[in-house]
Amino acid sequence: MKKNLFLAIALLISGNVFAATDHYVLRDGDYVRHLKVIKINADYIVSADVDFESTAKEGSAHCSQAVSGKATSTGENELVMKKHSSSAASSCELKIKLSPNGAKIEESKDCDTFTVDKCHFSSGNKELIKVN
């Protein structure tokens, strides 16, 4: 009986995986940006989306785009996620700078193949706020 209990505890301990998920949101005028960063042990998975809906009376415009994939750590609190386009010979690269309270996103010029018109993943110089 003790052997079985010890074996069950050993399996539980060895199977533990450290995982954490952080969400970041920025509402800026007609834009809403969302970033989700999942960390499983030393691996990162990033999901970014942007929604734009014009509040102007004339010519209502709307777009909604998302991109996700594995990211690599390029330094302390810095991640880079590259997503290759299936329709073009280019890739979208998101550079993410994390802080204790938020995140900033910069996108490469090739992200235009993943977005349309006014939708862009880049947050400019504004920080997405970390939500619990």
Side-chain angles (χ1 to χ4, degrees):
M1 179 69 171
K2 287 183 183 180
K3 235 184 215 185
N4 289 339
L5 181 62
F6 177 73
L7 183 59
I9 291 173
L11 284 174
L12 286 173
I13 292 173
S14 66
N16 281 347
V17 174
F18 177 73
T21 303
D22 292 320
H23 291 270
Y24 305 87
V25 176
L26 174 65
R27 179 163 185 96
D28 182 25
D30 295 337
Y31 290 91
V32 176
R33 289 180 175 85
H34 173 248
L35 173 69
K36 179 169 76 170
V37 178
I38 301 170
K39 182 179 181 186
I40 302 173
N41 292 330
D43 297 327
Y44 292 92
I45 300 170
V46 170
S47 174
D49 60 78
V50 58
D51 291 302
F52 171 81
E53 186 156 1
S54 177
T55 57
K57 302 257 186 230
E58 49 300 309
S60 64
H62 172 77
C63 65
S64 180
Q65 301 294 319
V67 66
S68 63
K70 286 189 172 187
T72 56
S73 178
T74 58
E76 189 173 336
N77 299 321
E78 291 184 8
L79 301 173
V80 172
M81 192 267 303
K82 289 184 181 181
K83 184 73 173 186
H84 295 282
S85 173
S86 60
S87 63
S90 63
S91 61
C92 178
E93 181 178 281
L94 298 182
K95 293 181 182 178
I96 302 161
K97 295 182 183 178
L98 302 172
S99 71
N101 299 320
K104 290 183 181 180
I105 303 172
E106 295 177 27
E107 68 181 47
S108 66
K109 66 178 180 76
D110 291 335
C111 288
D112 291 344
T113 59
F114 289 84
T115 61
V116 294
D117 204 22
K118 295 186 179 211
C119 275
H120 298 285
F121 301 110
S122 183
S123 63
N125 202 24
K126 297 181 180 178
E127 189 171 60
L128 284 75
I129 305 301
K130 187 175 184 176
V131 293
N132 296 328

